[in-house]
């Protein structure tokens, strides 16, 4: 089974900051990597699919990059409404989620 | 607009079974897979399995074989998940998901 190691677990940042969240797979996942945002009490929302494709309706400040085993979600300029937990999901072989990154405002 | 509407919260006794539903609209049900996922507080989301709306073909996470049974009713564009022999470890929020669309989740609480 493919394991996903997500970092950091917790992140505190200021409005306007550039924020990056990382996921490392235990083996090559061929860019089959999605990113999700989950706010308290809500279902996860897909932000990015297949490493760098932006889901319709998601602000362009969200972007994804990576290849092989290493992937990154970047928020170019943090907004107050971005406070949430972020998860990665690999779907190259089965489906495995990262443990999540809780993002809050400093 | 694609919508996935899940059934309401369940309080069930240990050893019992429960059937969750996910009623869909806004897309051609028969053409897509529906996944089911489990989220427990403080733990990674887990993929339980998926089912093809066209023919009911299923794939399961080995961990959930024997625990979860996925079915569909094409006539009502609804997906179902049966959870059997429930224990406290099955207390969680369960989501259905199709592509980038998720249901709102169903809270299952197993308690005597």
């Amino acid at each position: 089974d493919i394991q996903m190691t997500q970092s950091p677990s917790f992140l505190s940042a200021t409005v306007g900051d550039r924020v990056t969240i990382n996921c490392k797979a235990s083996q090559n996942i061929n860019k089959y990597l999605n990113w999700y945002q989950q706010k308290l009490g809500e279902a996860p929302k897909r932000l990015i699919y297949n490493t760098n494709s932006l889901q319709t309706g998601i602000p362009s400040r969200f972007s994804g990059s990576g290849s092989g085993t290493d992937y990154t979600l970047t928020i170019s300029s943090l907004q107050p409404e971005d406070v949430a937990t972020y998860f990665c999901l690999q779907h190259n072989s089965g489906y495995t989620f990262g443990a999540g990154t809780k993002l809050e405002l400093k | 607009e694609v919508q996935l509407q899940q059934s309401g919260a369940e309080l069930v006794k240990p050893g019992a079974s429960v059937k969750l539903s996910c009623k869909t609209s806004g897309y051609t049900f028969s053409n897509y897979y529906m996944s089911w996922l489990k989220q427990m507080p403080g733990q990674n989301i887990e993929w339980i399995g998926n089912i093809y709306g066209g023919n009911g073909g299923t794939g399961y996470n080995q961990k959930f074989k024997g625990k979860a049974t996925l079915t569909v009713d094409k006539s009502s564009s609804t997906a179902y998940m049966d959870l059997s022999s429930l224990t406290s470890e099955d207390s969680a929020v369960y989501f259905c998901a199709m592509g980038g669309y998720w249901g709102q989740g169903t809270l299952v609480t197993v308690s005597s």
Side-chain angles (χ1 to χ4, degrees):
Chain A
D1 291 3
I2 297 177
Q3 307 304 314
M4 301 300 296
T5 303
Q6 186 171 341
S7 61
S9 301
F10 180 81
L11 187 52
S12 182
T14 302
V15 172
D17 279 356
R18 183 180 182 87
V19 169
T20 60
I21 298 169
N22 300 293
C23 268
K24 187 175 184 67
S26 58
Q27 63 191 69
N28 182 9
I29 56 171
N30 298 301
K31 297 193 172 187
Y32 289 109
L33 190 286
N34 298 346
W35 290 98
Y36 294 82
Q37 175 194 68
Q38 187 176 30
K39 297 184 178 180
L40 201 62
E42 297 183 7
K45 177 193 296 184
R46 191 168 71 179
L47 305 174
I48 303 282
Y49 60 95
N50 296 341
T51 295
N52 55 16
S53 294
L54 191 66
Q55 186 74 26
T56 302
I58 299 302
S60 59
R61 64 179 180 274
F62 292 93
S63 64
S65 62
S67 63
T69 61
D70 295 294
Y71 297 84
T72 299
L73 172 70
T74 300
I75 307 173
S76 60
S77 178
L78 185 67
Q79 300 301 303
E81 60 267 31
D82 299 336
V83 169
T85 299
Y86 293 83
F87 299 95
C88 61
L89 164 69
Q90 74 79 22
H91 57 104
N92 178 71
S93 174
Y95 302 85
T96 315
F97 284 84
T101 297
K102 188 173 183 180
L103 174 59
E104 68 172 40
L105 291 180
K106 197 177 290 185
Chain B
E1 180 193 5
V2 174
Q3 293 192 338
L4 281 63
Q5 182 66 39
Q6 295 188 238
S7 48
E10 300 274 3
L11 173 60
V12 292
K13 295 191 185 308
S17 298
V18 68
K19 188 169 188 173
L20 311 184
S21 66
C22 174
K23 183 168 178 56
T24 73
S25 60
Y27 73 99
T28 303
F29 184 79
S30 298
N31 290 354
Y32 294 89
Y33 283 90
M34 180 71 73
S35 284
W36 287 87
L37 304 104
K38 177 183 181 182
Q39 185 172 38
M40 297 176 72
Q43 297 195 25
N44 294 27
I45 299 173
E46 296 179 284
W47 178 77
I48 295 170
N50 61 11
I51 184 165
Y52 188 59
N55 61 8
T58 54
Y60 291 94
N61 180 338
Q62 185 68 30
K63 177 179 176 179
F64 292 95
K65 284 186 176 179
K67 170 62 65 178
T69 302
L70 306 183
T71 56
V72 295
D73 177 359
K74 287 196 295 183
S75 67
S76 63
S77 299
T78 302
Y80 297 93
M81 179 171 67
D82 272 290
L83 297 170
S84 63
S85 303
L86 292 166
T87 72
S88 59
E89 288 301 302
D90 299 313
S91 293
V93 177
Y94 293 87
F95 293 98
C96 58
M98 187 282 294
Y101 301 94
W102 290 55
Q104 82 276 22
T106 296
L107 175 64
V108 174
T109 304
V110 182
S111 174
S112 54

